[in-house]
Amino acid sequence: MKDKKITIVGLGYIGLPTAAVMARAGMEVLGYDLNRRVIDALNRGEIIIEEPGLSELVNEMVSSGRLKGISTLQESDVFIIAVPTPITEDKKADMSYVKSAAEDILPHLKPGNIVVLESTSPPGATEDIIVPILERSGLKIGDEVFVAHSPERVLPGRIIQELVENDRIIGGINPESTEIVKEVYRTFVDGEIYTTDSKTAEMCKLMENTFRDVNIALANELAILSENMGIDAWEVIKFANKHPRVNLHQPGPGVGGHCIAVDPWFVIENHPEGKLIRQARNINDGMPDKVMEKIQELVQSDEAKVAILGATYKPNVDDTRESPVLKLVEKLLQKTRLQVAIHDPHVDREVFPYSGRLYDQIEDAVKDADLIVLGVNHFEYSTLDFGLLGNLMKAKRLYDTRNYLNEKELVENGFQVTILGRGI
Ligand SMILES: NC(=O)c1ccc[n+]([C@@H]2O[C@H](COP(=O)([O-])OP(=O)(O)OC[C@H]3O[C@@H](n4cnc5c(N)ncnc54)[C@H](O)[C@@H]3O)[C@@H](O)[C@H]2O)c1
């Protein structure tokens, strides 16, 4: 396998690290992307995304001659597709990037080729979208060209290690495809490689994120019930999780990011019978509304100032895709007359949709505020001086949607503290 020429189609957070790791394993790797900036940077040995260790590895592999960027596809032994699969307005997978990647491969296809879809896709996509396009080559797909889905489950920030160490699933359109694609991944994966059919592999990836979404929805429902019943959901979670087979998740202001908030929709896009999954999505998507209602209840004035700390979809990252805090901001601006100030040390002002409301200094964001809302538990917020911040505010009120801050210290500094999910 190591003498095979590999082409990665789509050099983003998944494709580029995969290309670099395969080159490190000794293969000749070509990276193809529609974005010229990505290719130009790659051929200078540089990258345009942030991921620990990637810049050094790419530089080393480009210098070694084993990794090269190309802006026109050419013949190859293996094609790995890692293009985006975003969600449409009507909650369906946008497969247009995958289709166009397969169509671009088509003129270069030859007998013996291997095509792998890594993009997260609805069940059936490899057989129903990739195979019919490749069949237009006249080659017998499954006999002369081998096709499989191999989903990715790396954690941003640890992609290079996890690409090698994580267990992996390979699902071919037939057993021959599965076995040959397994050999490709064996060249650089140290984890176990489990084999199945392509539709099962697609469903596995989606269910991993759906599992998390449904469990977060259960925690959010517990939070809503607890508030109504006069119970502290956080105490329930702490003690229920002492059961050896229980792992209640944590509630919060909603679910964001490009995986957990998106992938469950791919499962049910053509399947209304997926009721629990849909309900979980709706519960999680309803959380920004719940937070808005609580804010309105707490501030006691239509024109109060609310300072929101944190805008990303999870702590300690700069990614705001599908962030529930941004949905909250949008709702506050559309449905209320409240003044909204935002602070987040991680977001990039250039691409932030509410940059006019974004303050670089937290003191400026909370000045004259009637309420602080902790939206994201960024590490930086664990060491804030609430004595100082409280003195800048009009009213010392704080709503912690993550149960993250030191309540005792806040109370000692005169704050009235409300915690999402605590009904007492
Ligand atoms: N990022 C993650 O943590 C992660 C984890 C698991 C799975 N995934 C899945 O992997 C896939 C890729 O995600 P990503 O985060 O790497 O995306 P990305 O947006 O970072 O990168 C995709 C790249 O593909 C390029 N591209 C788009 N259409 C193309 C085409 N037709 N031909 C060539 N290049 C094309 C884009 O220019 C871009 O550089 C998605 O399906 C995603 O859901 C991502």
Side-chain angles (χ1 to χ4, degrees):
M1 264 303 157
K2 288 213 169 162
D3 56 349
K4 297 247 185 265
K5 184 156 115 183
I6 315 284
T7 299
I8 311 281
V9 182
L11 298 174
Y13 286 97
I14 297 300
L16 188 53
T18 303
V21 166
M22 290 183 94
R24 184 174 65 186
M27 279 165 286
E28 183 195 343
V29 183
L30 298 176
Y32 168 69
D33 200 290
L34 293 182
N35 184 345
R36 191 74 225 195
R37 271 183 68 221
V38 173
I39 299 301
D40 291 346
L42 176 60
N43 287 330
R44 291 193 306 269
E46 294 168 11
I47 64 173
I48 63 167
I49 52 173
E50 261 185 39
E51 177 59 31
L54 184 60
S55 171
E56 297 80 353
L57 184 60
V58 163
N59 191 275
E60 194 187 326
M61 290 304 115
V62 171
S63 307
S64 76
R66 289 206 296 278
L67 175 59
K68 205 169 88 180
I70 51 169
S71 46
T72 333
L73 273 178
Q74 46 181 264
E75 287 195 348
S76 183
D77 298 309
V78 181
F79 295 94
I80 296 180
I81 301 173
V83 298
T85 44
I87 194 154
T88 60
E89 279 292 311
D90 56 347
K91 308 290 185 197
K92 292 191 187 304
D94 175 356
M95 297 303 286
S96 59
Y97 300 90
V98 169
K99 281 184 193 156
S100 93
E103 275 162 0
D104 287 350
I105 291 169
L106 187 58
H108 309 285
L109 212 57
K110 58 182 195 326
N113 271 177
I114 297 166
V115 179
V116 184
L117 175 65
E118 281 209 9
S119 304
T120 305
S121 301
T126 308
E127 280 183 11
D128 301 342
I129 296 177
I130 300 287
V131 170
I133 293 174
L134 300 185
E135 273 172 344
R136 286 167 17 206
S137 66
L139 295 168
K140 284 199 82 177
I141 308 303
D143 282 347
E144 292 177 284
V145 174
F146 305 97
V147 181
H149 178 61
S150 182
E152 194 46 77
R153 39 165 71 142
V154 289
L155 180 73
R158 285 183 40 84
I159 294 181
I160 293 177
Q161 293 99 297
E162 292 204 359
L163 270 174
V164 175
E165 291 166 10
N166 284 359
D167 294 343
R168 219 178 163 106
I169 302 166
I170 310 273
I173 56 158
N174 59 354
E176 292 75 12
S177 294
T178 307
E179 282 314 307
I180 201 163
V181 171
K182 183 178 176 182
E183 281 177 45
V184 173
Y185 282 87
R186 194 73 285 170
T187 56
F188 69 97
V189 172
D190 286 345
E192 287 294 327
I193 300 182
Y194 297 99
T195 56
T196 181
D197 59 88
S198 58
K199 205 167 180 177
T200 305
E202 287 152 352
M203 191 63 153
C204 284
K205 165 70 192 174
L206 299 176
M207 287 316 281
E208 289 163 16
N209 285 331
T210 302
F211 170 86
R212 300 176 68 198
D213 198 47
V214 170
N215 276 285
I216 296 168
L218 181 63
N220 282 332
E221 190 155 278
L222 167 64
I224 294 164
L225 289 168
S226 298
E227 287 187 17
N228 294 342
M229 291 179 177
I231 297 171
D232 181 351
W234 299 93
E235 198 165 326
V236 173
I237 292 166
K238 186 165 89 186
F239 292 138
N241 284 349
K242 301 290 177 197
H243 184 296
R245 287 168 295 281
V246 171
N247 177 23
L248 284 172
H249 286 34
Q250 302 209 325
V255 172
H258 58 289
C259 285
I260 301 181
V262 168
D263 294 358
W265 290 118
F266 292 10
V267 180
I268 54 172
E269 63 177 28
N270 296 317
H271 288 274
E273 69 274 26
K275 293 198 175 70
L276 175 64
I277 296 173
R278 185 176 306 272
Q279 186 63 11
R281 275 283 66 244
N282 289 338
I283 290 172
N284 290 335
D285 278 354
M287 289 310 286
D289 275 313
K290 298 276 173 207
V291 173
M292 179 177 74
E293 284 162 23
K294 181 62 84 179
I295 289 172
Q296 287 174 303
E297 186 188 312
L298 290 171
V299 291
Q300 297 162 0
S301 148
D302 288 351
E303 287 167 17
K305 177 177 171 184
V306 179
I308 298 179
L309 307 189
T312 57
Y313 85 88
K314 69 173 184 178
N316 311 319
V317 298
D318 62 357
D319 193 344
T320 57
R321 280 181 291 179
E322 310 288 330
S323 165
V325 181
L326 287 191
K327 300 215 168 91
L328 167 68
V329 170
E330 190 183 316
K331 284 174 193 295
L332 287 171
L333 296 177
Q334 278 175 4
K335 297 187 180 171
T336 77
R337 284 157 54 209
L338 296 171
Q339 299 171 54
V340 179
I342 308 166
H343 175 265
D344 191 313
H346 292 269
V347 301
D348 178 357
R349 174 176 290 283
E350 296 298 314
V351 293
F352 190 67
Y354 303 102
S355 57
R357 297 176 182 276
L358 184 68
Y359 290 84
D360 293 334
Q361 302 302 323
I362 194 162
E363 291 80 5
D364 296 331
V366 306
K367 189 169 183 307
D368 296 328
D370 298 85
L371 175 71
I372 290 178
V373 178
L374 183 84
V376 183
N377 40 341
H378 286 314
F379 177 71
E380 290 86 342
Y381 295 145
S382 65
T383 53
L384 289 176
D385 181 346
F386 281 102
L388 184 100
L389 295 180
N391 288 336
L392 299 170
M393 297 175 71
K394 202 188 272 177
K396 293 185 185 184
R397 291 192 200 100
L398 187 137
Y399 178 26
D400 186 347
T401 68
R402 305 278 182 172
N403 191 21
Y404 181 64
L405 299 173
N406 185 334
E407 188 185 5
K408 187 165 167 276
E409 189 191 322
L410 283 160
V411 171
E412 279 167 8
N413 281 297
F415 274 83
Q416 174 201 321
V417 181
T418 305
I419 297 176
L420 182 141
R422 185 190 283 180
I424 47 174

